[in-house]
Amino acid sequence: MTGDRILVVEDNELNMKLFHDVLQATGYTTLKAYTGEEAVELAVSHVPTLVLMDVQLPGIDGVATLARLRDDERTASIRVLALTAQAMHGDRTGFLDAGFDGYLSKPVDIAELLRTVEELCRRGKRPRRGASLIDRE
């Protein structure tokens, strides 16, 4: 059992169930958010190890939600993995440049999802802004 807490941000009920069930069966604790606003509230109150972020959300989208997380000192160091159906050439670079820690396209390969989640959880928190080179990964 890992014990890591994962916040899943997904507005599609079937995808949410799949991610939640797979993560729970693998030993992760999960939190669920269906909107970007809800994701920010849960991230602030529970400070998960990792956020799985659907990019296309009602209200504020995943990129704007990520920006809010990065702008808040309490959540800036949380790792965030983009999950999106946007799988065009260059999208990966765009999402990483936006501040995501990784990117998986939908439909998600479950084995790849679990490998990526494990890797990001193992890395721990992101370096603080302005941290010295010694403090960085």
Side-chain angles (χ1 to χ4, degrees):
M1 294 289 194
T2 72
D4 288 309
R5 183 178 299 137
I6 312 288
L7 171 56
V8 180
V9 187
E10 172 63 65
D11 64 323
N12 179 289
E13 192 64 46
L14 291 175
N15 286 340
M16 176 64 85
K17 179 169 176 31
L18 173 65
F19 299 144
H20 168 79
D21 290 351
V22 166
L23 292 168
Q24 289 262 315
T26 311
Y28 295 98
T29 301
T30 58
L31 301 165
K32 298 178 184 179
Y34 295 90
T35 67
E37 294 87 352
E38 189 178 13
V40 172
E41 289 176 23
L42 286 171
V44 167
S45 61
H46 294 280
V47 191
T49 305
L50 176 66
V51 176
L52 302 185
M53 180 79 68
D54 182 14
V55 173
Q56 295 180 11
L57 294 167
I60 63 170
D61 68 14
V63 175
T65 302
L66 174 70
R68 289 187 184 184
L69 293 174
R70 295 290 183 247
D71 286 342
D72 189 319
E73 185 177 292
R74 298 167 293 179
T75 57
S77 64
I78 297 171
R79 300 268 178 196
V80 182
L81 176 65
L83 302 173
T84 182
Q86 296 177 15
M88 303 299 289
H89 180 71
D91 283 341
R92 179 179 182 82
T93 302
F95 288 123
L96 295 177
D97 288 347
F100 286 97
D101 296 288
Y103 161 92
L104 292 176
S105 61
K106 294 179 183 176
V108 172
D109 175 273
I110 295 303
E112 183 180 12
L113 172 70
L114 291 174
R115 280 191 303 273
T116 304
V117 165
E118 180 182 350
E119 176 188 330
L120 290 173
C121 287
R122 189 174 48 236
R123 284 189 199 171
K125 297 198 178 289
R126 294 172 57 89
R128 296 180 320 275
R129 283 187 233 170
S132 71
L133 288 176
I134 295 170
D135 293 337
R136 296 182 191 259
E137 298 174 54

